[in-house]
């Protein structure tokens, strides 16, 4: 009975989100590139059963925040058997010492959180070893800290162009796909368009002008469960939605938390802030 109920809930929720994505895309100004938004279902802390069910309902792109959890989930026999065309997105903060582990993930599609030249270089050299004789490049996005919050990872906006140039010219194993931001959580849209999203749009224009790229060649990953429709309306091509599809986030897996989640003991107030370091409210 549980699986039947879960199947119905995930199926209905996913269908509703897909409809909302399409409707938001239809409301976009004609001046924006006509790129169909990609829906990334954030399956953080959710069991393989739920990933498989969403896949059965037609979902293909899934996002995870923690390297260890993604490695375990992507290697799960049930997912490997039932989801041959799954596309994994890594959407959490990536530490250099976890790059090799991440790049070994089966069906890794996109790393959305490259946030420095040094990390880009590390991912590039590691991918060259992982792919062997293959010429396939790894898709990456550059994460920008558009809100300027110290509690968030991401590159300072003013360093966007020079870092993109570095990736394009110096990282031959990587395919620069676009820009990503988390932005400030809980922005009141009655005040007008989200300034963090507007900042990402501005930086994309600068990148395209500097590198002579068409706008449609540089994607924008922005928007989560609470604001993905607005993000699409202003130009997002990639949105990360979790709780609306899978329900509220479950507690993190135990008893062995990943090193990136337990490297420091923090106060309760700091812990709340750390929830915003990654896409913690999909």
């Amino acid at each position: 009975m549980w699986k039947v109920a879960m199947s119905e809930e995930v199926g209905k929720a996913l269908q509703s989100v897909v409809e909302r994505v399409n409707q938001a895309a239809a409301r976009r100004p004609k001046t924006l590139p006509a790129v169909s938004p990609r829906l990334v279902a954030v399956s953080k802390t959710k069991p393989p059963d739920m990933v498989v069910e969403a896949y059965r309902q037609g979902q293909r792109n899934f996002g995870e925040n923690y390297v260890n959890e993604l490695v375990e989930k992507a290697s799960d026999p049930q997912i490997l058997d039932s989801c041959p065309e799954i596309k994994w997105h890594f959407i959490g903060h990536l530490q250099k010492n976890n790059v090799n582990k991440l790049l070994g993930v089966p069906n890794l599609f996109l790393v959305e959180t490259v946030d420095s030249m040094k990390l880009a270089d590390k991912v590039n050299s590691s991918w060259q070893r992982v792919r062997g004789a293959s010429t396939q490049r790894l898709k990456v996005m550059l994460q920008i800290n558009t809100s300027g919050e110290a509690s968030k990872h991401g590159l300072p906006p003013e360093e966007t162009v020079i870092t993109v140039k570095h990736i394009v010219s110096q990282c031959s194993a990587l395919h620069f796909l676009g820009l990503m931001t988390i932005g400030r959580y809980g922005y009141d849209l009655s005040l007008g368009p989200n300034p963090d999203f507007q900042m990402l749009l501005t930086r994309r224009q600068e990148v395209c002008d500097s590198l002579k790229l068409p706008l449609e060649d540089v994607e924008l990953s922005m928007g989560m469960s609470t604001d993905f429709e607005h993000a699409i309306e202003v130009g997002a091509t990639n949105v990360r939605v979790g709780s609306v599809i899978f329900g509220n986030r479950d507690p993190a897996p135990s008893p062995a938390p990943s090193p990136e989640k337990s490297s420091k003991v923090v106060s309760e107030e700091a812990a709340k802030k750390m929830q915003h370091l990654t896409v913690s409210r999909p």
Side-chain angles (χ1 to χ4, degrees):
M1 289 297 294
W2 178 81
K3 284 192 174 183
V4 173
M6 179 195 73
S7 174
E8 292 180 353
E9 289 180 11
V10 172
K12 289 179 180 178
L14 183 60
Q15 182 180 7
S16 174
V17 171
V18 169
E19 290 175 355
R20 291 168 64 186
V21 166
N22 292 335
Q23 290 168 1
R27 294 193 294 268
R28 284 190 299 203
K30 301 304 180 185
T31 52
L32 289 172
V35 178
S36 297
R38 180 191 302 107
L39 172 63
V40 179
V42 180
S43 48
K44 172 184 175 182
T45 78
K46 298 302 179 181
D49 279 349
M50 296 189 82
V51 173
V52 171
E53 186 53 43
Y55 185 94
R56 286 175 180 157
Q57 299 290 339
Q59 181 63 24
R60 291 295 180 268
N61 293 276
F62 292 82
E64 289 285 337
N65 288 67
Y66 298 113
V67 173
N68 286 354
E69 186 177 354
L70 175 53
V71 169
E72 181 177 351
K73 202 169 289 182
S75 303
D76 184 274
Q78 184 183 5
I79 290 179
L80 287 173
D81 182 59
S82 303
C83 311
E85 297 177 358
I86 197 169
K87 297 177 180 179
W88 290 109
H89 295 231
F90 185 71
I91 58 176
H93 176 55
L94 179 58
Q95 298 173 329
K96 286 194 286 290
N97 62 341
N98 279 323
V99 167
N100 290 337
K101 185 184 296 186
L102 173 64
L103 299 192
V105 165
N107 296 311
L108 180 65
F109 176 73
L110 172 61
V111 178
E112 296 197 20
T113 49
V114 172
D115 60 3
S116 69
M117 290 186 191
K118 288 184 178 180
L119 181 58
D121 289 339
K122 172 65 176 176
V123 174
N124 181 68
S125 60
S126 295
W127 186 247
Q128 287 175 329
R129 291 193 299 270
V130 169
R131 71 177 181 174
S134 170
T135 58
Q136 180 182 2
R137 294 187 296 164
L138 177 66
K139 297 180 181 67
V140 299
M141 284 184 166
L142 187 62
Q143 181 178 358
I144 310 300
N145 185 351
T146 53
S147 63
E149 295 172 277
S151 60
K152 286 189 172 65
H153 290 283
L155 197 70
E158 62 272 15
E159 296 179 23
T160 302
V161 172
I162 191 172
T163 307
V164 172
K165 284 184 176 179
H166 177 83
I167 293 173
V168 171
S169 64
Q170 303 298 319
C171 301
S172 60
L174 305 183
H175 174 199
F176 170 69
L177 197 65
L179 306 176
M180 176 268 207
T181 195
I182 295 173
R184 191 181 304 273
Y185 181 76
Y187 175 75
D188 184 357
L189 290 175
S190 68
L191 301 176
N194 187 321
D196 296 331
F197 296 170
Q198 296 300 309
M199 170 72 76
L200 205 65
L201 286 162
T202 298
R203 296 304 172 182
R204 176 175 68 172
Q205 187 66 58
E206 293 173 355
V207 166
C208 291
D209 290 345
S210 180
L211 278 69
K212 302 298 187 289
L213 297 172
L215 285 179
E216 57 267 24
D217 284 0
V218 180
E219 292 201 27
L220 297 178
S221 178
M222 56 189 191
M224 297 181 284
S225 283
T226 57
D227 57 9
F228 69 91
E229 288 161 298
H230 170 64
I232 291 171
E233 289 171 5
V234 298
T237 61
N238 190 90
V239 291
R240 311 174 300 269
V241 181
S243 59
V244 178
I245 297 172
F246 296 114
N248 291 329
R249 198 171 76 240
D250 298 331
S254 59
S258 59
E260 62 266 35
K261 287 191 282 185
S262 58
S263 58
K264 295 181 180 180
V265 177
V266 294
S267 67
E268 183 175 341
E269 181 178 353
K272 291 179 181 178
K273 292 182 179 179
M274 287 183 67
Q275 291 177 356
H276 302 303
L277 292 177
T278 58
V279 187
S280 60
R281 295 176 182 262

